[in-house]
Amino acid sequence: MRPDPFDTSRSSADSQGDREPYAYERERLITERERLRQKYEAERGGEDPYPYDREPTAGHVPPRTPRPRRPIGRWILRGFGIGIVLLVIAIIWLAITAPLSKSLQPPTPPSITLTADDGTPIARRGAIIGKSVDASKLPPHVTQAFLAIEDRRFYSHWGVDPRGIARAAWANMGSGGVRQGGSTITQQLAKNAFLDSDRTATRKIREAMIAFWLEAWLSKDEILSRYLSNVYFGDNTYGISAAAKHYFGRTPDKLNVGQAAMLAGLVKAPSRLAPTSNLEGARKRQAVVVGAMVDAGFLTKAEGDAVRPQRVLGSRPSQLPNGTYFADWILPEARDQAGEVKTETTVQTTLDPRLQRAAERTVARAGLRQAQVALVAMRPDGRVVAMVGGKNYRKSPFNRATQARRQPGSTFKLFVYLAAMRQGMTPDSTIEDSPVTIGDWSPKNSDGRYQGTITLRQAFARSSNVAAARLTQQVGVKAVIKAARDLGISTPIPNEATIGLGTSTVSLLELTAAYAAIAREQYPVQPRGLADVREKGWYQSLTGGATEMPSKIHDEMLDLLAASIRDGTGRQANLTVDAFGKTGTTSDNKDALFVGFARDLVVGVWVGNDDNSSNPGLSGGGIPARIWRDFMQSALGIAPVAAPPPPVEEIDPDALPSGDEDNAILPLGGEIEGLGFNLKMGEDGTISVGPSRRDREEGPPPRDDRRPPEEEPGPYEGQ
């Protein structure tokens, strides 16, 4: 067996003796190992698979082999080739999915049609699209307003502005949220014309690619022209031509500096800043744009200071003539239900065209003069079937049924008496109808009369203020507030005894829904105007469900509401079917209401002035009760209540004319004249007494013409 040439454990003598024979072998092994190592590194690029097991002999240093250079140039060429291929693919994809012709078109306008419950169109809301403009032909201050606030380096970047992106990122980091955007005008055109509004990284990458594409094929003026022709300005208005006409009644080339600045400012938040609904916000944004124009050098400081806040027109898109107040109320919810509307969309509502026409006719013939009116009709489950928000929509689109917050007057007593019924009282329980003082407050009955000890039924029917105040004090203000909240009243209610007389404010829609809860025997009732009801989430299902009203309390509330119509202040609302309701009149006769229900229809009526001024003689038992009655009769198809028979006066038989029996008998339909009065019996046997025909026709003779009864006239007198 041959000894190991690398074995150093042998004696020095052996080593000296064997040095020469093994020197050549050792060098050969070292060379072979080095060759294998270099080969492996060249082929694999890995570590040495043959590490030294032992230290080489003293004084010997293995030769170092230089590492081979990697082919960097080859990878550069490969990357360049891949980039060219991707660029060609991107150009082909953009040519197919983002044709340049599409940037000439405005985004598909969101158009939505509302229909009644029978499918009849009641309102349509669509976009106003203006004509295309040529930016190079517009006055400089018009385009400069948009460049100053949206993209100052528009003419120097290639579609994406790194400086703008960095500035926006820095500002957003400092504010802790998204306060600024770094999108250029080219990117905004790409987004508006080709992309959705979702905020994702993929969409931003596509947006940048399309921006480069537009910059490569279009001039700067062409890009700016298409942007101004398509951008959204609020009020469903697209393009600067439509916006200039809609807000200022002029063409874009006639805009002054202030008007151009206001339009440029709307682009940031067009729905929120639309000057027709938020003029103050639009003017503040206009001032920001003017300041940006000064900073950018488009205006001097003096020119900027000379720009005044602008006025706008109050024009609105044309509407279908029917159901306008209702359509304005339900349109936002209809848009939410329809999702992102890109094409013509139809949404069915709960409006009943027949009942809507009946409501409009009833209001038109109510003889309101200068006063305004609102009417809401709904089913007990909350489906609104008719709505009138004022006398004339064209003159005043303000919806007094949903937007106005007015004092409900005595209609709020519904919650006072509900709280009392919950605490064990009944309509037969008694209360003092006499003057009372609670703290510094001394309520009084509107007619100045007091009945002493009366039942709750009587107090509710005659709408006693002092009884309601005593009852509120007895059951507690918190109990009354809870009753109102349970029935769906969401507006603020002060924690004071005066709420029993309706001093807090509420909308007519919400108040009517509270009465619907009594009709349905469940609370709360949520007013709704859409036919399709969205399914509630699990949390809403657990926390927002309806609560059954105990039958005893429900019957007692019906007892009270029926007494108000039958024997109380709401007599003019009486119907030939079972009817339930309550009147309400505020201080100084500013507001008058009647809210009630019959069969499956719950209706609330309000009458008053928009400026909250007094209406002498106005009361809830007057015009509102009659409007309620007339609408109910038409809606339910019932006959009016028969007028009570005329009063019959008893006649002393001895006062009848004397004579034979035939003359002494008063036949049906006959009449007797004499003794200074006229006695007439109707076909139904009723007897009426009135002045004699002679007294009615001639009246009392002059004093000078009277003569003694025995004196006969002369031959020529009386001819």
Side-chain angles (χ1 to χ4, degrees):
M1 180 175 180
R2 298 179 61 185
D4 186 356
F6 294 99
D7 188 3
T8 60
S9 62
R10 294 183 302 164
S11 66
S12 58
D14 293 338
S15 176
Q16 291 293 330
D18 297 337
R19 179 182 179 90
E20 291 299 328
Y22 292 101
Y24 176 78
E25 182 69 16
R26 184 167 58 250
E27 293 294 336
R28 185 186 67 80
L29 292 175
I30 292 175
T31 303
E32 181 66 18
R33 177 197 170 283
E34 188 66 18
R35 186 184 66 80
L36 292 175
R37 185 181 66 79
Q38 292 180 5
K39 179 180 180 182
Y40 181 85
E41 288 183 350
E43 293 179 354
R44 301 289 183 89
E47 296 181 354
D48 185 4
Y50 305 104
Y52 288 103
D53 295 330
R54 299 174 182 84
E55 291 293 331
T57 55
H60 177 78
V61 179
R64 292 181 176 272
T65 304
R67 299 178 63 89
R69 295 183 179 180
R70 296 184 179 181
I72 299 177
R74 188 190 313 172
W75 286 110
I76 294 176
L77 293 176
R78 289 177 180 177
F80 184 74
I82 293 174
I84 293 177
V85 173
L86 292 177
L87 179 61
V88 172
I89 294 175
I91 292 174
I92 296 174
W93 174 75
L94 290 171
I96 297 174
T97 62
L100 293 176
S101 59
K102 191 174 181 180
S103 63
L104 289 170
Q105 306 169 0
T108 306
S111 179
I112 187 169
T113 299
L114 302 179
T115 67
D117 58 356
D118 62 354
T120 305
I122 60 171
R124 181 175 294 109
R125 301 293 188 271
I128 305 174
I129 304 173
K131 296 180 179 179
S132 299
V133 296
D134 186 348
S136 63
K137 296 181 180 179
L138 293 176
H141 63 263
V142 174
T143 55
Q144 289 169 354
F146 289 87
L147 296 178
I149 197 65
E150 292 295 324
D151 190 359
R152 296 186 187 180
R153 285 177 291 277
F154 172 71
Y155 283 100
S156 61
H157 62 64
W158 287 4
V160 176
D161 185 7
R163 290 175 58 187
I165 295 175
R167 172 189 48 79
W170 178 260
N172 294 336
M173 289 176 60
S175 61
V178 179
R179 295 286 184 262
Q180 296 185 17
S183 296
T184 64
I185 284 180
T186 311
Q187 287 177 275
Q188 293 182 49
L189 175 62
K191 179 184 67 174
N192 294 338
F194 302 101
L195 302 174
D196 298 327
S197 58
D198 58 317
R199 295 186 175 184
T200 62
T202 303
R203 199 269 293 168
K204 293 297 292 184
I205 293 173
R206 295 175 61 201
E207 177 184 294
M209 291 179 63
I210 296 176
F212 286 131
W213 166 259
L214 294 175
E215 290 279 351
W217 293 96
L218 298 175
S219 67
K220 288 290 187 178
D221 284 341
E222 288 175 329
I223 293 174
L224 185 58
S225 299
R226 299 184 187 207
Y227 169 79
L228 294 175
S229 300
N230 297 343
V231 69
Y232 181 52
F233 289 96
D235 269 8
N236 258 351
T237 305
Y238 290 83
I240 192 172
S241 295
K245 182 177 181 181
H246 179 69
Y247 292 122
F248 305 113
R250 59 183 62 188
T251 56
D253 59 315
K254 302 297 183 181
L255 293 172
N256 60 37
V257 175
Q259 292 167 343
M262 180 175 285
L263 291 183
L266 298 182
V267 175
K268 177 182 179 181
S271 298
R272 178 171 58 86
L273 295 174
T276 49
S277 57
N278 185 10
L279 182 58
E280 182 181 357
R283 285 176 171 174
K284 290 181 179 178
R285 184 64 177 166
Q286 171 198 332
V288 173
V289 176
V290 172
M293 295 177 72
V294 174
D295 292 341
F298 297 136
L299 296 177
T300 64
K301 184 66 167 58
E303 290 172 337
D305 294 339
V307 178
R308 303 264 67 86
Q310 298 299 304
R311 297 181 178 180
V312 297
L313 303 176
S315 59
R316 289 177 173 267
S318 59
Q319 314 288 343
L320 293 176
N322 192 24
T324 47
Y325 287 109
F326 176 87
D328 287 348
W329 168 62
I330 202 59
L331 184 64
E333 187 177 351
R335 287 195 183 279
D336 290 342
Q337 186 186 86
E340 187 177 0
V341 179
K342 288 193 172 183
T343 58
E344 179 70 22
T345 301
T346 300
V347 177
Q348 188 176 21
T349 70
T350 60
L351 191 77
D352 187 320
R354 182 183 68 85
L355 297 182
Q356 179 67 30
R357 289 192 295 269
E360 292 172 354
R361 286 196 305 266
T362 302
V363 167
R365 60 172 180 253
L368 296 171
R369 297 183 181 179
Q370 300 301 318
Q372 275 292 351
V373 64
L375 183 150
V376 174
M378 67 175 63
R379 301 299 181 189
D381 62 357
R383 286 177 294 134
V384 178
V385 293
M387 178 180 290
V388 175
K391 292 189 298 185
N392 191 315
Y393 180 86
R394 293 186 180 276
K395 291 183 178 180
S396 175
F398 178 73
N399 193 337
R400 296 155 187 85
T402 61
Q403 295 175 281
R405 299 289 188 270
R406 306 297 287 261
Q407 291 184 345
S410 293
T411 57
F412 196 87
K413 292 175 182 175
L414 176 80
F415 311 115
V416 177
Y417 283 80
L418 175 59
M421 299 302 108
R422 285 178 168 181
Q423 294 191 10
M425 300 184 191
T426 70
D428 293 318
S429 301
T430 58
I431 193 83
E432 283 297 318
D433 181 33
S434 58
V436 64
T437 297
I438 303 175
D440 297 332
W441 178 49
S442 298
K444 293 179 174 55
N445 287 342
S446 58
D447 58 3
R449 296 184 296 176
Y450 304 90
Q451 303 295 323
T453 303
I454 59 176
T455 64
L456 296 187
R457 182 185 299 106
Q458 292 171 321
F460 190 84
R462 72 185 308 267
S463 196
S464 170
N465 290 337
V466 295
R470 290 179 184 272
L471 202 57
T472 301
Q473 186 181 33
Q474 185 173 344
V475 301
V477 174
K478 291 184 178 180
V480 176
I481 294 176
K482 185 179 187 308
R485 296 292 187 224
D486 287 346
L487 267 61
I489 301 300
S490 62
T491 49
I493 304 175
N495 188 20
E496 55 189 33
T498 59
I499 63 172
L501 305 187
T503 55
S504 60
T505 59
V506 66
S507 71
L508 180 64
L509 179 68
E510 201 169 68
L511 184 64
T512 305
Y515 276 73
I518 303 296
R520 193 185 188 193
E521 205 173 346
Q522 281 185 349
Y523 60 86
V525 170
Q526 181 64 40
R528 60 184 179 90
L530 298 181
D532 296 332
V533 182
R534 285 185 172 183
E535 294 185 1
K536 295 182 179 180
W538 66 270
Y539 179 78
Q540 290 179 318
S541 300
L542 292 176
T543 60
T547 302
E548 294 287 338
M549 182 177 293
S551 298
K552 179 178 180 296
I553 294 179
H554 177 253
D555 293 341
E556 290 169 345
M557 294 305 298
L558 292 183
D559 187 343
L560 297 174
L561 291 167
S564 177
I565 289 183
R566 183 180 61 249
D567 306 316
T569 55
R571 284 188 292 269
Q572 293 199 54
N574 200 13
L575 302 175
T576 55
V577 298
D578 292 339
F580 311 89
K582 184 71 184 73
T583 60
T585 308
T586 62
S587 60
D588 298 328
N589 307 97
K590 295 177 181 178
D591 304 277
L593 303 96
F594 190 91
V595 187
F597 52 90
R599 292 184 179 173
D600 65 340
L601 203 57
V602 188
V603 179
V605 178
W606 167 87
V607 175
N609 294 333
D610 286 336
D611 60 0
N612 206 30
S613 58
S614 176
N615 287 280
L618 182 66
S619 67
I623 292 179
R626 291 194 293 270
I627 292 176
W628 188 91
R629 177 198 64 200
D630 294 346
F631 173 73
M632 279 295 199
Q633 289 174 175
S634 177
L636 301 178
I638 57 178
V641 176
V648 178
E649 298 184 22
E650 296 183 1
I651 304 299
D652 186 355
D654 296 335
L656 295 175
S658 60
D660 49 76
E661 293 182 356
D662 293 338
N663 294 332
I665 298 175
L666 182 62
L668 294 176
E671 61 181 299
I672 296 177
E673 187 82 29
L675 302 179
F677 61 85
N678 176 265
L679 182 66
K680 182 177 181 180
M681 177 174 286
E683 297 293 341
D684 57 355
T686 59
I687 299 176
S688 60
V689 180
S692 66
R693 185 179 294 110
R694 177 177 299 176
D695 291 342
R696 291 197 306 268
E697 294 176 355
E698 300 179 0
R703 182 178 299 274
D704 294 339
D705 293 339
R706 295 178 181 176
R707 296 182 178 85
E710 68 275 6
E711 184 177 303
E712 296 293 335
Y716 298 103
E717 292 180 8
Q719 296 183 7

